[in-house]
Amino acid sequence: MPLSEHEQRMLEQMERALYAEDPKFASALEGSGLRTYTRRRVYQAVAGFLVGIALLMAGMVAKQVWLSVVGFLVMLGCAVLAVTGWRKAPKPGEQLAGAPHARRQARQKRSMMDRIEQRWQKRRDEQGGQ
């Protein structure tokens, strides 16, 4: 699900604040950090899936239907996390934020968003002043 305009603006503001406050930390989070994060998320989801199988089997052995249902739900949730994490993970040679055209597009988007925000603020100021 895509983010709304307001959510995108808030995210951009948080990113700018992070870069302004600690640029070294922010640059460490880019690129391979994202790949590591998604890989770790997929591994955790696989481990959770195995726990779900164990709960499902334990519920069947103990004849506890609720435990089997919980195990199935854990398996389902972990499978969804693993698939979405696997799709979002960048390929080993791929750079998300490091590509020059990506930076240029991000800069153009930000400048466009800044212009829109300035226009919006100007209209609010004009309407509030009347």
Side-chain angles (χ1 to χ4, degrees):
M1 174 187 301
L3 297 175
S4 69
E5 289 182 31
H6 175 70
E7 291 170 333
Q8 288 175 349
R9 274 188 267 128
M10 295 294 291
L11 183 61
E12 288 175 2
Q13 288 175 355
M14 288 189 291
E15 285 178 6
R16 282 188 229 131
L18 177 63
Y19 277 106
E21 188 176 311
D22 195 355
K24 186 177 179 182
F25 177 69
S27 64
L29 290 179
E30 287 182 347
S32 64
L34 178 63
R35 189 172 67 236
T36 304
Y37 169 75
T38 52
R39 188 182 308 141
R40 185 180 312 132
R41 180 176 162 188
V42 168
Y43 291 153
Q44 290 171 347
V46 169
F49 188 84
L50 295 175
V51 168
I53 290 175
L55 287 173
L56 182 76
M57 293 298 163
M60 290 174 63
V61 169
K63 296 184 180 167
Q64 298 291 323
V65 175
W66 65 271
L67 189 60
S68 296
V69 171
V70 169
F72 176 76
L73 292 176
V74 168
M75 287 171 50
L76 182 65
C78 289
V80 168
L81 282 176
V83 170
T84 57
W86 192 262
R87 286 183 182 170
K88 290 180 183 179
K91 304 298 180 256
E94 183 179 357
Q95 290 183 354
L96 294 176
H101 68 281
R103 286 183 185 165
R104 191 177 324 118
Q105 287 176 349
R107 216 177 289 135
Q108 288 173 352
K109 279 186 181 180
R110 282 192 187 132
S111 63
M112 183 184 75
M113 290 302 292
D114 290 339
R115 287 194 310 259
I116 291 172
E117 286 180 21
Q118 288 172 354
R119 289 178 190 165
W120 178 257
Q121 191 66 29
K122 183 178 175 183
R123 285 185 193 143
R124 285 185 49 197
D125 292 343
E126 288 174 356
Q127 289 178 353
Q130 294 177 350

